[in-house]
Amino acid sequence: MTTNSHEDDTYDVVVLGAGAGGMATAITAAHEGLRVVIVEKSPYFGGTAAFSGGVLWIPGNPHGQAANPHDTRAKARRYLEHEAGEHFNARHVDAFLDKGPDMVRFFEAQTQVKFVPTLYPDYHPDVEGGAPVGRSILAAPYDIRALGPDMARLRPPLETITFFGMMFNSSNADIAHFFKATKSLTSAAYVTRRLVKHTLELLRYRRGINVTSGNALAARLGRSVLDRGIPILTDTRLVELLRDDTGVHGVRVSGPAGEQRLMARKAVVLGTGGFSHDTERRDQAYGHARAGHEHFSPVPADNTGDGARQAEAAGGHVDIRYTQPAAWMPVSKVPLSGGRHGAFPHLLDRYKPGIIGVNRQGRRFTNESNSYHDVGAAMAQQAAQGGEAAMWLICDQATLRKYGLGYAKPAPMPVGGLVRKGYLQRGRTLEELAQRAGIDPAGLAQTVADYNLHAREGRDPAFGRGTTAFNRYLADPAHTPNPCVGPIERGPYYALKLVMGDLGTFDGIETDVVGRVLARDGRPIPGLFAVGNDRASVMGGNYPAAGITLGPIMTFAYITGRFLAGIDDGLVQADGAASASGAAGNALGPGGAGPAATDDLAVTTVVPPGVQVKA
Ligand SMILES: Cc1cc2nc3c(=O)[nH]c(=O)nc-3n(C[C@H](O)[C@H](O)[C@H](O)COP(=O)(O)OP(=O)(O)OC[C@H]3O[C@@H](n4cnc5c(N)ncnc54)[C@H](O)[C@@H]3O)c2cc1C
């Protein structure tokens, strides 16, 4: 491998990582006239976004106002004050609330990125400022043939959540029809049509081409990147940042064509997706991992915390400060071909009636219908108290066949293979089940007896399942009186072990609002920026709603892209430290004291000035 210094190329902005943060920054900066390149170490663009649900939480988004016309910026801000608690950062939160709707309007007007509304309530809708609907939007489905030959470079969806490679769309009737396929002729016909279409796609393209959710978001971002002529150098590894006393000026990378120096007139942007697979930093941050409990992340294995290490080497810092340092996701380990295991994120089953979660003592320890992050936090707490960061889901045969359990699909799909492979444990009695699963038999029998006593009346006095709109949102509306609560009656019984996983990390590189990486003294490191999960989350370690990683990620990427292009959104702090130039060769002066806060979401959703100029 040679270093082709004569092949050096100079860009305005070099972005590391072709995920949601990196691509959104690149698109915004290029839209404003900057020359941008993206360096991506994997063979794919899309990052974790391509695995994701594709939901963005943007209070005041243009799609949500019809469903929730009474929502206001002040309510959303109050909600975040409660949710972020001691970590509430007014400057960052205000920027997010002010610019989020602008970001959505920009992408929908100027790029292939489009959204549809969802009916998600906030995850803590009863907390002051929480909303029953309207703040979460979803990437619109996409036909990836629009990517042309670059279709092969789109990261495929997470293997465990597709059905023979087919994706479901949570915003339409897909899932409902699949659940009802054996009970309704309409649903059976719908499912048959979907499967035939998908099989034809597989035969012709060797993958599903009608993608939904996060794969659609990644594809739409990728198309928009390519439309602007931004190269995505896949399979290209960062060797080092090129920096001197005056700042960061480029990168040395190694790719299929050998080593290359890419110079950056304005900035190198770290968008490498956080440290989900950096075992060293994980042990430092995650108490359960440090204590030796399993952590199995569905995040792509390429997210090894490279951005954090580069930032530290350049004088930046990553503090582990949030009580919950990552977005927790309880997962089960699915046996896949070739002896591999895949992480199955438990997004649907925990909400359903007749499914409970217990610890090794056979005891319930939390409201199973809370969000994945809250259930994960309860698992982490179990570990902190000397238990295990695990949960066994328990149900009976009727419930398993009705709703499925994890990777096990509802009837008529068979489950025997998953029992034989040890994914599911089965027992004729609760005691037999407990012995097979390694749970305390007496504890489990007592728990089920106690639970059933009230569950038959649809009540859960122990943990209050079904008491919030969010609990009920993913439950079974046809099950009365409580869509989340039903008894566990007749064997055989099933158990499925969940271990801790994450959707991405919350702790990250300290930046200012516009994404400049900050040194310990608060001064920006010239020429170095961070976006996405490389940058510390604005949520303070909490998970207030569906889409609270991708919403801020795309909003702050939009802010960073515009800042790099010299657009003054009034977000640069007026204090001495942060008003110093952060972008090498881009001596932007101090801005105002911050955006004028308005309480009216409608007022904050005006088209940003930069868009009007370019339109
Ligand atoms: C199953 C699942 C569902 C989810 N659903 C949602 C959801 O609906 N809503 C939501 O808000 N969040 C969701 N998330 C989380 C969300 O997907 C992530 O927070 C988000 O995609 C992170 O974006 P990012 O740009 O920081 O990183 P990524 O999207 O992961 O992109 C980082 C990129 O950097 C590349 N990279 C890594 N190291 C280097 C290097 N040294 N040089 C060059 N490139 C590098 C990686 O290969 C990757 O392509 C979900 C996550 C999972 C796993």
Side-chain angles (χ1 to χ4, degrees):
M1 201 169 276
T2 54
T3 299
N4 301 317
S5 49
H6 57 283
E7 288 179 14
D8 285 358
D9 221 340
T10 301
Y11 294 86
D12 294 314
V13 181
V14 176
V15 176
L16 296 176
M23 289 198 287
T25 309
I27 292 165
T28 312
H31 179 79
E32 301 299 344
L34 298 189
R35 187 157 183 262
V36 186
V37 64
I38 303 181
V39 176
E40 166 57 53
K41 87 173 177 192
S42 81
Y44 302 114
F45 61 85
T48 317
F51 281 2
S52 78
V55 179
L56 274 69
W57 191 70
I58 304 286
N61 73 76
H63 298 282
Q65 285 166 0
N68 189 359
H70 304 299
D71 201 10
T72 64
R73 182 191 185 283
K75 284 185 192 168
R77 194 177 192 277
R78 262 199 302 283
Y79 184 53
L80 288 180
E81 268 179 73
H82 284 286
E83 293 284 302
E86 60 173 323
H87 296 295
F88 180 78
N89 181 326
R91 210 185 284 272
H92 289 232
V93 167
D94 284 335
F96 167 59
L97 292 175
D98 289 337
K99 293 294 161 191
D102 291 352
M103 178 279 290
V104 174
R105 287 182 195 277
F106 163 75
F107 275 96
E108 293 201 309
Q110 303 294 338
T111 79
Q112 291 297 318
V113 178
K114 314 284 175 212
F115 299 100
V116 293
T118 76
L119 296 175
Y120 268 108
D122 286 348
Y123 285 178
H124 307 129
D126 298 343
V127 165
E128 192 188 347
V133 71
R135 294 174 178 171
S136 297
I137 53 175
L138 170 71
Y142 197 57
D143 181 338
I144 60 171
R145 282 175 297 186
L147 288 169
D150 286 305
M151 191 164 103
R153 294 203 299 160
L154 170 66
R155 185 180 283 281
L158 187 63
E159 190 175 350
T160 53
I161 57 171
T162 62
F163 186 64
F164 298 113
M166 188 174 77
M167 298 192 69
F168 299 97
N169 190 348
S170 56
S171 79
N172 65 23
D174 263 16
I175 293 178
H177 280 307
F178 274 81
F179 274 120
K180 287 191 295 187
T182 55
K183 296 175 209 89
S184 141
L185 272 181
T186 314
S187 293
Y190 178 92
V191 169
T192 308
R193 271 200 311 278
R194 280 281 271 133
L195 289 175
V196 168
K197 192 161 178 249
H198 180 67
T199 308
L200 292 175
E201 287 176 8
L202 285 184
L203 288 172
R204 182 145 181 217
Y205 303 102
R206 285 189 292 179
R207 68 184 289 173
I209 52 157
N210 283 294
V211 303
T212 64
S213 310
N215 217 247
L217 177 65
R220 287 177 175 280
L221 282 166
R223 180 68 266 164
S224 308
V225 164
L226 297 166
D227 283 347
R228 281 170 173 73
I230 303 167
I232 307 178
L233 309 181
T234 41
D235 272 321
T236 301
R237 198 172 50 83
L238 174 76
V239 177
E240 62 175 348
L241 292 181
L242 300 174
R243 57 191 166 88
D244 59 21
D245 291 348
T246 63
V248 175
H249 303 286
V251 294
R252 192 153 64 88
V253 297
S254 169
E259 282 201 2
Q260 201 180 357
R261 285 174 3 134
L262 303 170
M263 303 311 293
R265 277 187 287 262
K266 289 182 182 290
V268 170
V269 179
L270 304 169
T272 69
F275 60 88
S276 293
H277 290 282
D278 175 349
T279 45
E280 207 173 300
R281 202 178 299 269
R282 226 160 68 172
D283 282 355
Q284 190 193 343
Y286 303 176
H288 64 279
R290 205 166 42 249
H293 298 291
E294 185 160 14
H295 189 91
F296 193 59
S297 177
V299 168
D302 304 288
N303 292 17
T304 48
D306 300 355
R309 277 191 299 279
Q310 293 299 332
E312 285 172 335
H317 60 107
V318 176
D319 290 335
I320 303 302
R321 55 187 173 156
Y322 298 146
T323 311
Q324 312 299 339
W328 302 132
M329 170 58 79
V331 298
S332 52
K333 294 176 73 177
V334 181
L336 298 173
S337 59
R340 295 170 304 133
H341 280 88
F344 182 92
H346 282 256
L347 288 155
L348 294 173
D349 48 13
R350 294 176 290 102
Y351 303 89
K352 302 290 189 293
I355 299 174
I356 60 166
V358 300
N359 59 16
R360 204 177 270 288
Q361 287 69 48
R363 304 274 180 223
R364 290 177 70 209
F365 56 92
T366 191
N367 177 337
E368 299 89 340
S369 300
N370 279 344
S371 77
Y372 34 85
H373 182 68
D374 291 347
V375 170
M379 286 162 65
Q381 197 186 4
Q382 289 278 300
Q385 292 167 350
E388 205 170 330
M391 172 187 259
W392 283 261
L393 293 182
I394 308 288
C395 69
D396 63 19
Q397 169 94 359
T399 298
L400 179 89
R401 301 313 277 151
K402 188 169 184 185
Y403 304 116
L405 191 65
Y407 191 66
K409 308 286 180 291
M413 296 304 290
V415 295
L418 291 172
V419 175
R420 279 191 295 282
K421 287 178 182 160
Y423 177 73
L424 289 176
Q425 306 296 325
R426 180 162 55 196
R428 278 165 301 152
T429 61
L430 284 169
E431 287 76 6
E432 187 179 84
L433 177 75
Q435 265 149 10
R436 291 199 173 140
I439 309 168
D440 177 54
L444 181 64
Q446 188 63 53
T447 295
V448 172
D450 292 346
Y451 167 78
N452 277 348
L453 204 60
H454 305 286
R456 291 190 185 101
E457 296 161 6
R459 293 188 305 115
D460 177 27
F463 295 102
R465 266 175 85 171
T467 49
T468 74
F470 175 67
N471 273 190
R472 295 188 294 273
Y473 179 65
L474 292 167
D476 179 358
H479 184 88
T480 55
N482 185 335
C484 300
V485 177
I488 299 167
E489 301 277 27
R490 261 187 298 280
Y493 302 98
Y494 291 85
L496 171 59
K497 184 178 181 183
L498 314 192
V499 297
M500 188 77 108
D502 68 280
L503 300 179
T505 43
F506 278 151
D507 276 318
I509 301 164
E510 183 78 18
T511 69
D512 66 5
V513 172
V514 297
R516 298 181 294 188
V517 174
L518 300 178
R520 279 260 174 237
D521 64 5
R523 299 187 74 80
I525 295 164
L528 191 61
F529 287 67
V531 296
N533 286 341
D534 273 355
R535 163 181 175 158
S537 164
V538 69
M539 297 295 160
N542 208 339
Y543 211 107
I548 63 83
T549 74
L550 285 168
I553 281 173
M554 284 193 54
T555 302
F556 285 112
Y558 167 79
I559 288 171
T560 297
R562 284 167 63 82
F563 177 78
L564 290 172
I567 296 172
D568 181 5
D569 279 322
L571 297 171
V572 178
Q573 300 168 26
D575 57 70
S579 65
S581 168
N586 182 25
L588 297 171
T598 164
D599 255 14
D600 183 352
L601 285 173
V603 174
T604 66
T605 55
V606 292
V607 177
V611 175
Q612 286 168 343
V613 170
K614 294 274 170 184

